[in-house]
């Protein structure tokens, strides 16, 4: 290949000047004398990009999104995105921009594309995942401030980190109208597996549970439509629900099926809401408040949300300069709030997220929660009305009736078996999703998605009790090899897998879904609980206890467990409490008090260390978040804490 030869002579016909746009900027004496030079120069650039100069003196609205990839007009890929969640977001950007134009506004658009936790499972890409959320929120905020003339912001996002990052950015804009457009969900295949189960094909194939042909075919069709977050109620879906519960999204927009008209309509409704906020003088600070944070926690509990939102909701509160929820706050909310939603992976019926949307979504859940007195109906919403007024309208709306009827017509599913009334939830034995175990291995707390523990392992009081010998791993790769039977000493049923050194300092607090998904879909996997200072995907299942604090590399006792230690686990679903304790070693069983003393006398596992290829950016993030409240504080940077610490060292 000759780098400097080309058979197209027209490439050398280089133009060196141009006539420039035709028309005149709508300048006035007042504008020229008093507006900043940046405003005037901005109009020059707007005209250069093709906007009609005479129409420049309009209210400007900024549309930020996490869109990724490059689609042709027919939807075919020119360059792929990282995931389906952001693949079709450009359609929402276009719909929002056109509606701003129709309303005589001037739209701007900016983008910060996001990674995919599913794509990076088991890879070094996972080391950047959680830290990326903070970086993206910073860039979003900088982009908002860098357009000083914007009158409001539309945020369009979906998926595990992009959507939380957008919420953090919008919540920080306390003096600006904002609205959040959720990116929706993909549909499940007519025949095949959902995007959660499909991530286990490697483990199942390794154990001879599926053939190579089956793996290839199932993997091809798991995502049945090209856009939207996953079909299960994992972190992406939970984040959309939380965004609506916070009041940032217009009512009944979370979990709409991507690409469909009802999804596109949410972008137009969101623009209407943003302009109404401006007219009413409402800002993000009126929407994201202490009461809306509490409402979001309650809705999270009622829906059985992902444990990752325990990291994101405190981060949103911090961005809004509100009190961050504590472990005690989470425990209190989950103890009071019944679970009302049956959706993948929580059961008892494995409904995909689109059915949750058709059954009524967030407004339907909130109707029940209001009847129980668990939510604050005075909280303001994105449409400029308090939640109580929204719910009153929802209850008698044509939209509610027609979509619930559509669910019954299309799938033969009664919407009341997707979103239960409190009485029906009690009759079906639905219990709260999250339990927060403590004990000598988790003095700062931990969390388990308790409703995904196999029911056959619970006693008559719905309590999971387990005692077993520890199998300690210092890396996720060594743990998955032992689970797949590819190591010299495979994991055996009845052992407790302990994965330590994978918190923020060790690996950026990687998500360990390949471990939990493998255990779910292996016949003996339910007999192996997992303890870790890492985190889990929202679709993780089983007796998997994460966020154990302090993390091992901060001196946490989980880093002192050795192979053969006798560990005791108890998860009490009805009472939202539990414990994880070292109670013995070398075959001798003692008690938790003995274990506490034993841990004090031990040194840290010598194999534990930050991974060699942990990016410097993530190392810096891990230090800063550790000094700012750590995992249970939302893994954020808190400038006040950091400033005080630095001042004390001077």
């Amino acid at each position: 290949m000759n780098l400097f030869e080309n058979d197209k002579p027209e490439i050398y016909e280089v133009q060196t000047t141009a006539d420039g746009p035709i028309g005149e900027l709508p300048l006035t004496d007042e504008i020229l004398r008093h507006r900043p030079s940046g405003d005037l120069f901005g109009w020059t650039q707007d005209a250069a990009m093709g906007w009609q100069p005479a129409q420049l003196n309009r209210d400007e609205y900024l549309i930020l999104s996490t869109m990724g990839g490059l689609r042709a007009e027919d939807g075919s890929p020119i360059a792929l995105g990282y995931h389906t969640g952001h693949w079709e977001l450009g359609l929402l950007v276009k719909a929002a921009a056109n509606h701003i134009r129709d309303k005589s506004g001037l739209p701007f658009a900016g983008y910060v594309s996001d990674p995919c936790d599913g794509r990076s499972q088991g890879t070094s890409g996972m080391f950047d995942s959680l830290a990326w959320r903070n970086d993206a929120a910073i860039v979003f905020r900088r982009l908002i401030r860098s357009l000083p003339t914007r009158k409001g912001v539309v945020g369009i996002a979906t998926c595990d980190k992009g959507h939380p990052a957008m919420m953090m950015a919008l919540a920080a804009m306390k003096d600006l109208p904002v609205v959040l457009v959720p990116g929706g969900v993909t549909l499940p295949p007519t025949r095949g597996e959902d995007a959660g189960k499909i991530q286990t094909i490697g483990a199942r194939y390794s154990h001879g549970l599926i053939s190579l042909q089956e793996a290839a075919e199932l993997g091809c069709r798991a995502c049945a439509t090209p856009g939207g977050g996953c079909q299960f109620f994992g972190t992406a879906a939970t984040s959309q629900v939380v965004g609506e519960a916070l009041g940032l999204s217009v009512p009944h927009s979370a979990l709409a099926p991507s690409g469909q008209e009802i999804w596109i309509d949410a972008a137009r409704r969101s623009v209407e809401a943003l302009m109404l906020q401006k007219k009413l003088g409402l800002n993000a600070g009126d929407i994201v408040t202490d009461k809306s944070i509490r409402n979001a926690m309650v809705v999270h509990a009622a829906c059985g949300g992902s444990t990752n939102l325990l990291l994101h909701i405190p981060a949103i509160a911090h961005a809004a300069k509100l009190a961050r929820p504590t472990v005690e706050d989470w425990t209190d909310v989950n103890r009071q709030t019944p679970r009302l939603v049956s959706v993948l992976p929580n059961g008892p019926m494995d409904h995909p997220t689109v059915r949750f949307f058709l059954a009524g979504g967030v407004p339907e859940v909130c109707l029940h929660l209001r009847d129980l007195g668990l939510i604050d109906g005075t909280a303001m919403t994105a449409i400029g009305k308090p939640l109580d007024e929204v719910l009153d309208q929802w209850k008698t709306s044509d939209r509610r009736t027609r979509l619930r009827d559509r669910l019954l017509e299309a799938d033969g599913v009664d919407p009341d078996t997707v979103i239960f009334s409190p009485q029906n939830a009690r009759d079906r034995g639905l219990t709260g999703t999250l339990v927060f175990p403590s004990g000598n291995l988790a003095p700062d707390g931990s969390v388990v998605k308790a409703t995904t523990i196999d029911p056959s392992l619970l006693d008559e009081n719905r309590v999971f009790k387990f005692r077993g010998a520890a199998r300690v791993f210092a890396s996720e790769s060594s743990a998955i090899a032992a689970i797949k039977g590819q190591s010299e000493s495979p994991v055996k049923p009845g052992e407790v897998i302990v994965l330590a050194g994978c918190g923020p300092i060790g690996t950026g607090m990687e998500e360990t879904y390949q471990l939990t998904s493998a255990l779910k879909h292996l016949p003996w996997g339910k007999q192996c609980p997992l303890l870790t200072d890492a985190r889990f995907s929202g679709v993780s299942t089983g007796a998997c206890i994460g966020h154990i604090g302090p993390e091992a590399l901060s001196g946490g006792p989980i880093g002192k467990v050795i192979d053969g230690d006798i560990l005791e686990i108890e998860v009490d679903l009805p009472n939202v409490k539990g414990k994880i304790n070292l109670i013995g070693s070398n075959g001798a069983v003692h008690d938790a008090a003995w274990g506490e003393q034993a841990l004090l006398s031990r040194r840290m596992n010598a194999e534990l260390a930050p991974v060699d290829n942990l990016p410097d950016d993530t190392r810096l993030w891990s230090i800063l978040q550790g000094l700012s409240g750590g995992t249970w504080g939302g893994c954020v940077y808190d400038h006040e804490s950091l400033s005080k610490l630095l001042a004390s060292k001077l």
Side-chain angles (χ1 to χ4, degrees), residues 107-124:
F108 286 76
Y111 315 95
V112 181
S113 193
D114 56 343
C116 174
D117 277 5
R119 186 180 292 274
S120 59
Q121 287 292 335
T123 75
S124 59

Side-chain angles (χ1 to χ4, degrees), residues 130 133 307-315 535 547 631 634-635:
L130 186 52
R133 180 207 65 177
T307 56
N308 279 313
L309 271 294
L310 274 66
L311 303 173
H312 302 321
I313 290 179
R535 59 191 177 89
H547 299 214
T631 299
C635 293

Side-chain angles (χ1 to χ4, degrees), residues 351-380:
H351 294 300
T353 44
V354 68
R355 291 181 182 171
F356 183 10
F357 174 76
L358 292 173
V362 174
E364 193 72 17
V365 173
C366 286
L367 275 180
H368 295 308
L369 294 173
R370 183 173 68 168
D371 289 343
L372 295 171
L374 292 174
I375 57 171
D376 191 329
T378 66
M380 187 56 64

Side-chain angles (χ1 to χ4, degrees), residues 629-646:
T631 299
W632 292 97
C635 293
V636 296
Y637 313 141
D638 180 53
H639 73 89
E640 292 183 358
S641 297
L642 295 170
S643 296
K644 289 178 182 177
L645 180 64
L646 288 173

Side-chain angles (χ1 to χ4, degrees), residues 93-403:
V93 174
K94 183 178 180 180
N98 283 337
H99 206 62
I100 289 171
R101 292 177 62 151
D102 291 344
K103 295 293 182 179
S104 299
L106 185 57
F108 286 76
Y111 315 95
V112 181
S113 193
D114 56 343
C116 174
D117 277 5
R119 186 180 292 274
S120 59
Q121 287 292 335
T123 75
S124 59
M126 186 55 72
F127 304 157
D128 283 296
S129 174
L130 186 52
W132 177 93
R133 180 207 65 177
N134 288 30
D135 296 341
I138 290 171
V139 175
F140 280 134
R141 290 193 292 264
R142 291 191 187 279
L143 286 173
I144 293 169
R145 293 190 295 264
S146 296
L147 187 66
T149 50
R150 75 283 183 267
K151 301 297 185 182
V153 181
V154 179
I156 301 175
T158 188
C159 287
D160 295 31
K161 302 302 176 300
H163 195 275
M166 187 70 78
M167 288 194 287
M168 291 167 63
L170 297 181
M173 299 294 114
K174 295 178 72 67
D175 299 322
L176 196 66
V178 301
V179 68
L180 175 64
V181 185
V185 298
T186 188
L187 298 183
T190 304
R191 294 180 300 105
E193 299 178 348
D194 67 83
K197 186 174 182 179
I198 208 64
Q199 295 181 55
T200 71
I201 54 177
R204 285 184 285 155
Y205 177 75
S206 297
H207 284 275
L209 300 176
I210 57 172
S211 68
L212 180 61
Q213 182 67 26
E214 288 172 322
E217 291 179 356
L218 291 169
C220 182
R221 58 174 178 259
C223 296
T225 49
C230 296
Q231 312 103 327
F232 50 81
F233 199 62
T235 306
T238 305
S239 188
Q240 292 186 40
V241 165
V242 163
E244 188 176 328
L246 280 168
L248 285 171
S249 297
V250 297
H252 201 239
S253 58
L255 311 182
S258 180
Q260 299 188 35
E261 180 56 30
I262 198 166
W263 174 79
I264 289 285
D265 184 62
R268 295 189 286 263
R269 288 198 295 143
S270 297
V271 169
E272 297 279 353
L274 187 70
M275 292 184 170
L276 180 60
Q277 286 180 39
K278 178 180 178 294
K279 180 179 178 180
L280 296 175
L282 292 174
N283 300 313
D286 301 306
I287 296 171
V288 183
T289 61
D290 288 325
K291 65 178 72 172
S292 68
I293 292 289
R294 180 78 177 192
N295 282 351
M297 295 168 68
V298 170
V299 171
H300 176 275
C303 296
S306 164
T307 56
N308 279 313
L309 271 294
L310 274 66
L311 303 173
H312 302 321
I313 290 179
I316 296 163
H318 177 263
K321 300 189 184 305
L322 302 172
R324 287 179 272 179
T326 64
V327 181
E328 292 73 25
D329 294 329
W330 284 107
T331 303
D332 179 60
V333 164
N334 280 267
R335 185 172 287 126
Q336 293 183 49
T337 308
R339 182 165 65 92
L340 304 177
V341 178
S342 178
V343 65
L344 276 167
N346 296 329
M349 288 166 285
D350 288 336
H351 294 300
T353 44
V354 68
R355 291 181 182 171
F356 183 10
F357 174 76
L358 292 173
V362 174
E364 193 72 17
V365 173
C366 286
L367 275 180
H368 295 308
L369 294 173
R370 183 173 68 168
D371 289 343
L372 295 171
L374 292 174
I375 57 171
D376 191 329
T378 66
M380 187 56 64
T381 68
I383 63 171
K385 298 179 183 297
L387 181 58
D388 270 336
E389 190 171 338
V390 169
L391 297 181
D392 289 341
Q393 291 186 16
W394 170 257
K395 193 171 185 177
T396 58
S397 68
D398 185 54
R399 181 184 180 101
R400 180 190 185 218
T401 301
R402 295 184 66 175
L403 291 179

Side-chain angles (χ1 to χ4, degrees), residues 51 81 124 146 164 171 230 259 285 317 341 373 389 421 457 470 490 522 524 528 627 639:
W51 200 268
S124 59
S146 296
C230 296
V341 178
E389 190 171 338
S421 69
L457 302 178
L522 295 176
W524 48 266
C528 290
L627 298 172
H639 73 89

